[in-house]
Amino acid sequence: MSAPKALAADPWGLVRSPSPGPSLAIGSPSDGCLAGAKTLAVRGPGWREVYPARHRFYGHPALIAFVHRLAAEVRARHMGTLLLGDLAQPRGGPMSSGHRSHQLGLDVDVYLHLAHHPLTVTGRARLETISMVDGGAINFQAWGRPQMRLLRLAARDPAVGRIFVNPAIKRHLCRTLTGKRAWLRKIRPWWGHRRHFHVRLICPHGDYACVSQAPIPPGDGCDATLAWWFTPAAKVPTPPVHAGPPVLPAACGRVLADRAVPAGRRSLSRR
Ligand SMILES: [Zn+2]
């Protein structure tokens, strides 16, 4: 494919800097964009990005704050270091590979495996082999109490709307959890997600153009809706084919076209 065509096909993946102005999530997770994104540092106290070269470490300030909070909780409990996958592109929007959502800067992938050593190149390759699910059942070679605790910490965060995990993980939690189970409601089964879980925040207060997902149905989700995931119907299609290309709100066109403010001159901006 020639360069100009690539530019037309993937403008969101090619833009290298956030748009200026206030941070706003615009649209829905699979049809939207992010104005005024903030950057998550490649590493910080308690977290580490696994693939910084992908340049998908931008997010709404609410998402950056969530990562900081979760990393601090994990660190305080000596559970290891959070390993992070993708957040969003500098202006959110559709990605050319890997995700249908992650468009608003309110989604982040977090590995279920926690690091206890600095992540080397070999360690990173190994990370991609650590699956918590094996043939539809939990892989107890990899899964343990730290994974449950990590999901619980994330789900209890008030900014979190949903967490997507493999159905086998949800079923395991449904079967084994005792005591307070209210947080289980936010844990939602989805295709894949054997190595990482996907956190989606609720629309931040005041983000008037952010379209909320339908509320989670009542109950803990350990019911017939979960059982469906283990029927043949759930196998086709895998994952579901989304109808057509994303349809972005008109405001996203302006976010994409907006000029970046040079780093040292942000304070002079009159926007
Ligand atoms: Zn994800």
Side-chain angles (χ1 to χ4, degrees):
M1 184 184 282
S2 70
K5 271 188 186 165
L7 192 72
D10 184 25
W12 296 93
L14 290 172
V15 68
R16 303 306 280 176
S17 60
S19 68
S23 304
L24 278 178
I26 301 166
S28 67
S30 300
D31 296 285
C33 64
L34 172 65
K38 300 297 175 214
T39 309
L40 180 71
V42 169
R43 58 171 70 81
W47 82 86
R48 163 84 201 248
E49 288 168 15
V50 179
Y51 296 107
R54 285 188 192 167
H55 214 66
R56 293 173 174 175
F57 43 73
Y58 296 87
H60 191 286
L63 185 65
I64 308 296
F66 163 74
V67 170
H68 290 172
R69 277 198 302 278
L70 183 62
E73 300 246 33
V74 165
R75 201 159 172 248
R77 289 164 178 76
H78 308 288
M79 290 166 62
T81 298
L82 274 186
L83 295 174
L84 303 174
D86 290 344
L87 284 74
Q89 298 171 142
R91 301 187 188 195
M95 293 181 183
S96 59
S97 63
H99 313 274
R100 170 71 205 206
S101 64
H102 287 251
Q103 295 192 22
L104 294 183
L106 296 174
D107 299 76
V108 56
D109 290 338
V110 182
Y111 284 84
L112 282 155
H113 176 78
L114 289 149
H116 294 278
H117 307 286
L119 197 61
T120 60
V121 174
T122 353
R124 194 163 67 182
R126 193 177 152 264
L127 180 65
E128 296 305 338
T129 68
I130 304 176
S131 175
M132 302 289 156
V133 177
D134 186 7
I138 289 290
N139 169 21
F140 289 103
Q141 302 289 321
W143 173 275
R145 192 169 153 71
Q147 281 64 45
M148 183 280 287
R149 292 174 75 203
L150 176 57
L151 284 172
R152 185 172 61 191
L153 281 173
R156 282 183 172 168
D157 191 294
V160 170
R162 283 168 157 83
I163 293 177
F164 300 102
V165 299
N166 186 272
I169 294 175
K170 171 83 185 193
R171 183 171 65 179
H172 175 69
L173 294 172
C174 286
R175 285 174 175 172
T176 56
L177 273 184
T178 52
K180 290 181 181 162
R181 287 165 56 105
W183 61 273
L184 208 46
R185 185 157 171 245
K186 289 188 190 173
I187 307 287
R188 313 301 297 171
W190 201 250
W191 286 273
H193 297 86
R194 295 177 182 86
R195 284 178 277 279
H196 74 265
F197 59 101
H198 173 141
V199 178
R200 175 166 300 156
L201 303 193
I202 52 176
C203 281
H205 205 67
D207 277 36
Y208 56 88
C210 179
V211 179
S212 297
Q213 244 185 306
I216 302 174
D220 58 13
C222 301
D223 50 23
T225 59
L226 177 60
W228 176 85
W229 286 93
F230 300 93
T231 65
K235 305 275 185 292
V236 194
T238 318
V241 179
H242 195 287
V247 181
L248 303 184
C252 287
R254 295 192 285 279
V255 170
L256 184 62
D258 227 335
R259 284 177 42 176
V261 179
R265 298 176 54 194
R266 285 199 177 117
S267 57
L268 300 176
S269 170
R270 288 283 176 269
R271 289 176 56 86

